[in-house]
Amino acid sequence: EVVEILCSIVCSALQHLGSPRMRLICLDMLTQMAPFAPQSAILEEIVPYCHTLMTDKVAQVRARAIESLPSVLARVDELPPSDTGLFLDYLFPQLPSAMSHMGTEMGTE
């Protein structure tokens, strides 16, 4: 599917971006593609990259990653048994570190 390929391209680009502004743009693109992406792309590509960006050094990127997750996850109709630990084992433990220093950092590069 085309959207799945586009998600892969954006996720691949995210790995090599140094600019916080570009990481924000990629997050926005993934969030906009989520309604059209198959559930597998959401769970295997978009959510992991949101999870990774929850530990970004720039507070605005971390905040946008956290902000993106609810709308992205709203597109998941049924969580496969293999992904039942997604929240408790994967996403929730990341939140405290993602929110640390949230109030002390300002802006992006």
Side-chain angles (χ1 to χ4, degrees):
E1 192 170 307
V2 174
V3 175
E4 201 165 1
I5 294 169
L6 289 173
C7 284
S8 294
I9 292 169
V10 172
C11 289
S12 178
L14 262 169
Q15 295 177 31
H16 307 287
L17 293 174
S19 166
R21 183 173 182 273
M22 294 308 296
R23 290 192 299 273
L24 289 169
I25 290 169
C26 284
L27 263 172
D28 290 342
M29 290 172 66
L30 290 172
T31 302
Q32 294 298 316
M33 284 190 274
F36 309 101
Q39 185 168 298
S40 61
I42 292 170
L43 293 173
E44 295 170 15
E45 295 183 48
I46 298 174
V47 170
Y49 276 94
C50 287
H51 177 264
T52 299
L53 291 174
M54 286 169 62
T55 59
D56 195 89
K57 62 185 175 195
V58 177
Q60 190 174 2
V61 175
R62 291 192 310 262
R64 184 77 55 87
I66 294 168
E67 180 185 320
S68 298
L69 278 172
S71 62
V72 167
L73 289 170
R75 304 299 177 182
V76 176
D77 295 325
E78 187 177 320
L79 199 58
S82 61
D83 291 329
T84 55
L86 177 68
F87 294 97
L88 292 177
D89 300 332
Y90 190 64
L91 294 174
F92 291 157
Q94 195 75 357
L95 286 174
S97 64
M99 293 186 296
S100 66
H101 311 294
M102 197 68 82
T104 59
E105 296 179 18
M106 298 296 292
T108 60
E109 296 177 355

